[in-house]
Amino acid sequence: MKRLPNVISELRIAGSISLLFCDVKGWPFWSLYVLCGLSDILDGWLARRLHAESKTGAILDSVSDIVFVACCAIRLLPVLEIPAWLWIWAGVIVIIKIVNQISALVVFKRFCFPHTLANKLTGLLLFLTVPAVFCTVTPISIVAAIATFAAVQEGHFIRTKQFFSFFS
């Protein structure tokens, strides 16, 4: 039972990879999208509820999130009309995240993925607003602002060695 949250994260990886083989305009893609998003909420909730939180689970959750975002990006970005300024903003966020991981490697000799409230909020809002991007970029702009804050905050926690408090 204590392994259940990790199994859900592993299933999210499989579901995310399955997105690569689905038509973006079809119900299988969006069904998997919703299941993967809900599983992200469920695994963390179950881990806390079952007292099954672990460093391995946190890392697996982060890897699952990265795989989900990457697979969605691979499928969605070619069909979305995104303005250049939003691409640049997304690139800045990615650069901040890369710098954070380089900092983590220097400070801790490993990658670090703090599950801060801002990171969780970014993930939830990104999940909810991605379908809206087919109509307007306004909601995703708000998410980008929160994601920027989350990335900067994450870097602060890593560089001030406050990262480990997330596993206590």
Side-chain angles (χ1 to χ4, degrees):
M1 202 62 160
K2 294 236 182 213
R3 179 142 164 63
L4 184 58
N6 290 354
V7 170
I8 292 170
S9 293
E10 291 163 353
L11 288 172
R12 183 163 67 256
I13 292 171
S16 298
I17 292 170
S18 297
L19 289 170
L20 296 173
F21 304 100
C22 296
D23 178 12
V24 174
K25 296 177 182 167
W27 67 266
F29 179 89
W30 293 105
S31 297
L32 276 171
Y33 179 85
V34 168
L35 286 173
C36 288
L38 293 176
S39 74
D40 188 24
I41 296 166
L42 181 62
D43 66 357
W45 180 81
L46 275 175
R48 288 184 293 281
R49 182 92 169 165
L50 299 173
H51 304 288
E53 297 167 293
S54 67
K55 289 180 185 178
T56 301
I59 292 168
L60 184 59
D61 180 59
S62 294
V63 169
S64 301
D65 293 344
I66 291 167
V67 171
F68 179 56
V69 169
C71 291
C72 286
I74 289 168
R75 294 301 292 141
L76 291 170
L77 291 179
V79 299
L80 294 175
E81 293 183 29
I82 299 173
W85 62 266
L86 193 52
W87 280 108
I88 293 167
W89 195 351
V92 169
I93 294 168
V94 168
I95 290 168
I96 293 169
K97 293 283 213 173
I98 290 169
V99 168
N100 289 346
Q101 292 310 311
I102 292 169
S103 296
L105 284 172
V106 169
V107 174
F108 300 113
K109 309 289 186 254
R110 65 184 180 89
F111 293 112
C112 299
F113 301 100
H115 291 114
T116 65
L117 184 58
N119 274 334
K120 289 178 183 183
L121 180 61
T122 298
L124 175 65
L125 292 176
L126 188 61
F127 169 70
L128 293 174
T129 60
V130 161
V133 176
F134 284 98
C135 303
T136 178
V137 295
T138 302
I140 208 77
S141 301
I142 295 166
V143 175
I146 295 167
T148 304
F149 171 79
V152 171
Q153 181 190 46
E154 177 182 281
H156 169 74
F157 284 140
I158 290 170
R159 284 182 281 289
T160 59
K161 300 182 181 181
Q162 295 177 38
F163 172 76
F164 288 105
S165 66
F166 293 100
F167 289 120
S168 308

